[in-house]
Short mmCIF file of all heavy atoms in Angstrom, two decimals:
data_model
loop_
_atom_site.label_atom_id
_atom_site.label_comp_id
_atom_site.label_asym_id
_atom_site.label_seq_id
_atom_site.Cartn_x
_atom_site.Cartn_y
_atom_site.Cartn_z
N LEU A 280 22.10 -5.52 0.72
CA LEU A 280 22.44 -4.61 -0.38
C LEU A 280 21.18 -4.05 -1.03
O LEU A 280 21.10 -2.85 -1.32
CB LEU A 280 23.30 -5.34 -1.41
CG LEU A 280 23.66 -4.56 -2.68
CD1 LEU A 280 24.31 -3.22 -2.35
CD2 LEU A 280 24.57 -5.39 -3.58
N MET A 281 20.17 -4.90 -1.26
CA MET A 281 18.93 -4.41 -1.86
C MET A 281 18.22 -3.42 -0.94
O MET A 281 17.68 -2.41 -1.40
CB MET A 281 18.00 -5.59 -2.18
CG MET A 281 18.52 -6.52 -3.27
SD MET A 281 18.91 -5.68 -4.83
CE MET A 281 20.71 -5.85 -4.86
N GLU A 282 18.25 -3.67 0.36
CA GLU A 282 17.64 -2.74 1.30
C GLU A 282 18.38 -1.40 1.29
O GLU A 282 17.76 -0.33 1.34
CB GLU A 282 17.65 -3.34 2.71
CG GLU A 282 16.70 -4.53 2.87
CD GLU A 282 16.90 -5.25 4.19
OE1 GLU A 282 17.78 -4.82 4.98
OE2 GLU A 282 16.20 -6.26 4.43
N TYR A 283 19.69 -1.47 1.23
CA TYR A 283 20.51 -0.26 1.19
C TYR A 283 20.21 0.55 -0.06
O TYR A 283 19.99 1.77 0.01
CB TYR A 283 21.99 -0.66 1.22
CG TYR A 283 22.96 0.48 1.00
CD1 TYR A 283 23.39 1.27 2.06
CD2 TYR A 283 23.44 0.77 -0.28
CE1 TYR A 283 24.27 2.32 1.88
CE2 TYR A 283 24.32 1.83 -0.48
CZ TYR A 283 24.73 2.60 0.59
OH TYR A 283 25.60 3.64 0.38
N LEU A 284 20.17 -0.12 -1.21
CA LEU A 284 19.90 0.59 -2.46
C LEU A 284 18.49 1.18 -2.46
O LEU A 284 18.28 2.33 -2.89
CB LEU A 284 20.07 -0.36 -3.64
CG LEU A 284 21.49 -0.87 -3.90
CD1 LEU A 284 21.49 -1.93 -4.99
CD2 LEU A 284 22.43 0.28 -4.26
N GLY A 285 17.53 0.42 -1.98
CA GLY A 285 16.16 0.92 -1.93
C GLY A 285 16.03 2.15 -1.06
O GLY A 285 15.29 3.09 -1.39
N SER A 286 16.76 2.18 0.05
CA SER A 286 16.70 3.33 0.95
C SER A 286 17.29 4.58 0.31
O SER A 286 17.03 5.69 0.77
CB SER A 286 17.44 3.02 2.26
OG SER A 286 18.85 2.95 2.05
N ARG A 287 18.07 4.40 -0.74
CA ARG A 287 18.68 5.52 -1.46
C ARG A 287 18.01 5.77 -2.80
O ARG A 287 18.59 6.36 -3.70
CB ARG A 287 20.18 5.28 -1.61
CG ARG A 287 20.91 5.58 -0.31
CD ARG A 287 22.15 4.75 -0.09
NE ARG A 287 22.76 5.11 1.20
CZ ARG A 287 22.33 4.62 2.38
NH1 ARG A 287 21.30 3.80 2.42
NH2 ARG A 287 22.93 4.98 3.51
N GLN A 288 16.79 5.27 -2.93
CA GLN A 288 15.93 5.50 -4.09
C GLN A 288 16.52 4.94 -5.39
O GLN A 288 16.24 5.45 -6.47
CB GLN A 288 15.60 6.98 -4.25
CG GLN A 288 14.77 7.54 -3.09
CD GLN A 288 14.18 8.90 -3.38
OE1 GLN A 288 14.82 9.75 -3.99
NE2 GLN A 288 12.94 9.11 -2.97
N ILE A 289 17.31 3.89 -5.28
CA ILE A 289 17.74 3.13 -6.45
C ILE A 289 16.67 2.08 -6.70
O ILE A 289 16.54 1.11 -5.95
CB ILE A 289 19.12 2.46 -6.23
CG1 ILE A 289 20.18 3.52 -5.91
CG2 ILE A 289 19.52 1.64 -7.44
CD1 ILE A 289 20.40 4.53 -7.02
N ASP A 290 15.86 2.28 -7.73
CA ASP A 290 14.67 1.45 -7.91
C ASP A 290 14.90 0.22 -8.76
O ASP A 290 14.00 -0.62 -8.88
CB ASP A 290 13.52 2.29 -8.48
CG ASP A 290 13.77 2.73 -9.93
OD1 ASP A 290 14.87 2.52 -10.46
OD2 ASP A 290 12.83 3.31 -10.53
N SER A 291 16.09 0.07 -9.37
CA SER A 291 16.31 -1.07 -10.26
C SER A 291 17.79 -1.39 -10.37
O SER A 291 18.64 -0.50 -10.26
CB SER A 291 15.72 -0.79 -11.65
OG SER A 291 16.22 0.43 -12.17
N VAL A 292 18.07 -2.68 -10.59
CA VAL A 292 19.44 -3.16 -10.73
C VAL A 292 19.52 -4.10 -11.92
O VAL A 292 18.75 -5.06 -12.01
CB VAL A 292 19.91 -3.92 -9.47
CG1 VAL A 292 21.35 -4.42 -9.65
CG2 VAL A 292 19.81 -3.05 -8.23
N LEU A 293 20.43 -3.81 -12.84
CA LEU A 293 20.73 -4.71 -13.94
C LEU A 293 21.97 -5.50 -13.55
O LEU A 293 23.06 -4.94 -13.44
CB LEU A 293 20.98 -3.92 -15.23
CG LEU A 293 21.42 -4.72 -16.46
CD1 LEU A 293 20.33 -5.70 -16.89
CD2 LEU A 293 21.78 -3.79 -17.61
#
Side-chain angles (χ1 to χ4, degrees):
L280 175 54
M281 294 304 112
E282 291 170 0
Y283 173 87
L284 294 173
S286 70
R287 282 149 181 81
Q288 295 193 321
I289 301 298
D290 68 353
S291 54
V292 179
L293 176 64

